[in-house]
Amino acid sequence: MKNTISQALKISEVSESKIGQVDFENLNFGKIFTDHMFVCDYVNGEWQTPEIVPYGPLTMEPSARVFHYGQAVFEGMKAYKDDNGDTFLFRPDENFKRINISAERLAIPEFPEDYFFEGLNALLKLDNEWIKPGYGNSLYIRPFVIATQASVSASEADEYKFMIICSPAQSYYSGDVSVLVAEKFSRSANGGFGYAKAAGNYAGQFYPTKLAQEQGYQQVIWTDANTHEYMEEAGTMNVFFRVNDTLLTAPVSDRILDGVTRKSLITIAEKEGIKVDVRPVKVSEIVEAAKNGSLKEVFGAGTAAVVSPVKAFGYKGEHYEIEKQENSYASYFKKALMDIQYNKAEDTFSWRYKV
Ligand SMILES: *Cc1c(COP(=O)(O)O)cnc(C)c1O
């Protein structure tokens, strides 16, 4: 191992990369991780010297609070490589801000911006070979924070670990999805932490999603917990409805995550003169639009799939198919965003960040 200390960052490199064992043509999303990871511990009221170390298992006390009370938040972002071999991130400042917004809600101490960007840049340079060029290839980046303090007492911890791990990803076409509109279960509630990217928000979705899958739907569109009358989001993606030529999407709130893809699509739509109505979207108006043929498209928006078209939805025992559009907004937005991410289009909004 080679050890170097650059300013506040300590780097221990692997002696041999495992990249040769990876089949980049057949990647299973989120299963393979790069050679290195970023780690920074919070103890004695302070974030300690951050480190980059070989990717590998952690050792923790079974009493570590994250295991008992789920005090954990995370982010999801990607690095893209253009044909010249330059690496870019897409609006990483948004992810950095959001992990601290999530952290605050979970009573986790704020992480310093310079540690984040210095660590992320160094990690991406070390594991640069793992970012493959080519439209659709990317490196999925997963920053996260967990409560490591060894104690099962039910209160916020005073020791944490901030980490970044990276997994090579391919774009693959998983097919258009069918979704079930929630009638009984809720993902989040007023005053809760639906707006935070918190581990617990996901844990609570798996069971209702499994039930939806037994009915032949891949995902759930969550509705408001009070009345179940309004469309909210898909749990890993924000949702858009195209009624005639207008896009509808719910406003973000304390129940809905403020997605970077969502807000980028709204900005692009506005520039292109596509009308976007950000307002509460009634389930009944979408059902009505599906019946009278004015519902042209439904799609999810999130970092993982960029834009994910929905081909059908289920609600109150009825199944509604959405006819495929010739000039779909979904494919237009997907290309527009990817062209910016892969440095193929002008960066009108200054969203690209060169590593
Ligand atoms: C991550 C996430 C999204 C999508 O956010 P992006 O910043 O676009 O990736 C949407 N909803 C939830 C609940 C999420 O966790």
Side-chain angles (χ1 to χ4, degrees):
M1 278 201 202
K2 192 171 82 193
N3 291 299
T4 46
I5 297 176
S6 110
Q7 293 159 32
L9 180 67
K10 187 163 173 267
I11 299 176
S12 310
E13 288 185 41
V14 292
S15 39
E16 199 184 342
S17 172
K18 57 186 189 226
I19 196 168
Q21 303 157 24
V22 178
D23 178 2
F24 281 88
E25 301 300 309
N26 292 294
L27 292 169
N28 236 329
F29 179 77
K31 289 237 166 103
I32 307 258
F33 290 87
T34 61
D35 288 324
H36 300 92
M37 60 185 189
F38 173 85
V39 194
C40 186
D41 289 324
Y42 184 88
V43 284
N44 301 324
E46 262 182 341
W47 291 103
Q48 306 295 305
T49 303
E51 284 187 74
I52 289 176
V53 297
Y55 178 89
L58 302 174
T59 306
M60 266 188 282
E61 294 273 346
S63 59
R65 288 193 191 183
V66 64
F67 298 136
H68 305 273
Y69 307 119
Q71 203 188 356
V73 295
F74 67 95
E75 265 307 318
M77 49 203 291
K78 280 178 172 178
Y80 312 89
K81 198 172 261 180
D82 71 3
D83 297 334
N84 297 322
D86 287 326
T87 301
F88 298 91
L89 298 169
F90 182 73
R91 310 186 74 178
D93 46 319
E94 294 288 335
N95 300 94
F96 172 73
K97 271 189 255 163
R98 194 168 64 190
I99 201 167
N100 277 333
I101 291 172
S102 302
E104 181 184 34
R105 180 62 181 81
L106 277 279
I108 294 172
E110 185 177 348
F111 195 67
E113 186 168 8
D114 51 338
Y115 283 22
F116 180 81
F117 281 99
E118 198 193 338
L120 185 54
N121 274 293
L123 186 60
L124 294 178
K125 281 184 180 141
L126 265 182
D127 287 341
N128 177 57
E129 281 302 303
W130 292 79
I131 314 168
K132 297 298 178 193
Y135 212 56
N137 293 329
S138 65
L139 188 71
Y140 183 77
I141 302 166
R142 169 53 60 88
F144 63 102
V145 198
I146 52 174
T148 50
Q149 188 186 10
S151 161
V152 295
S153 123
S155 60
E156 89 272 17
D158 52 27
E159 290 176 12
Y160 298 88
K161 213 177 253 306
F162 184 108
M163 303 191 61
I164 305 175
I165 56 176
C166 302
S167 175
Q170 263 171 318
S171 94
Y172 57 98
Y173 182 67
S174 54
D176 295 1
V177 294
S178 298
V179 298
L180 187 64
V181 179
E183 289 163 46
K184 173 182 172 213
F185 293 103
S186 302
R187 189 190 85 91
S188 62
N190 293 335
F193 57 97
Y195 68 89
K197 238 176 156 67
N201 282 333
Y202 280 71
Q205 296 189 92
F206 296 154
Y207 175 66
T209 304
K210 194 175 80 170
L211 296 181
Q213 285 166 352
E214 286 166 10
Q215 291 179 250
Y217 296 96
Q218 286 89 50
Q219 291 189 33
V220 174
I221 294 190
W222 300 101
T223 47
D224 70 296
N226 264 354
T227 66
H228 296 291
E229 280 179 18
Y230 293 91
M231 300 282 198
E232 301 227 298
E233 62 161 317
T236 61
M237 288 184 292
N238 297 105
V239 234
F240 288 84
F241 303 88
R242 173 181 168 193
V243 176
N244 291 320
D245 288 334
T246 299
L247 279 175
L248 305 177
T249 194
V252 294
S253 66
D254 54 359
R255 302 184 304 268
I256 301 183
L257 188 112
D258 185 4
V260 180
T261 317
R262 173 189 177 277
K263 65 176 135 200
S264 304
L265 290 195
I266 294 173
T267 304
I268 292 175
E270 281 166 354
K271 177 172 167 266
E272 293 304 318
I274 296 172
K275 188 158 185 292
V276 189
D277 267 357
V278 179
R279 59 158 172 85
V281 181
K282 278 205 133 174
V283 179
S284 59
E285 70 179 297
I286 298 304
V287 167
E288 197 43 47
K291 284 182 180 161
N292 70 25
S294 59
L295 182 66
K296 305 294 183 197
E297 292 182 65
V298 178
F299 53 88
T303 297
V306 190
V307 170
S308 198
V310 171
K311 65 173 182 214
F313 69 93
Y315 180 63
K316 294 207 165 147
E318 299 286 331
H319 184 79
Y320 303 90
E321 299 275 344
I322 303 156
E323 226 177 281
K324 233 181 158 48
Q325 293 296 306
E326 276 288 327
N327 294 307
S328 90
Y329 283 5
S331 41
Y332 171 77
F333 284 125
K334 183 162 187 166
K335 182 170 185 310
L337 264 191
M338 287 180 69
D339 282 351
I340 297 174
Q341 290 165 339
Y342 288 87
N343 192 23
K344 283 182 185 293
E346 197 194 330
D347 186 16
T348 327
F349 309 105
S350 305
W351 285 341
R352 271 197 299 266
Y353 171 100
K354 193 160 182 285
V355 175

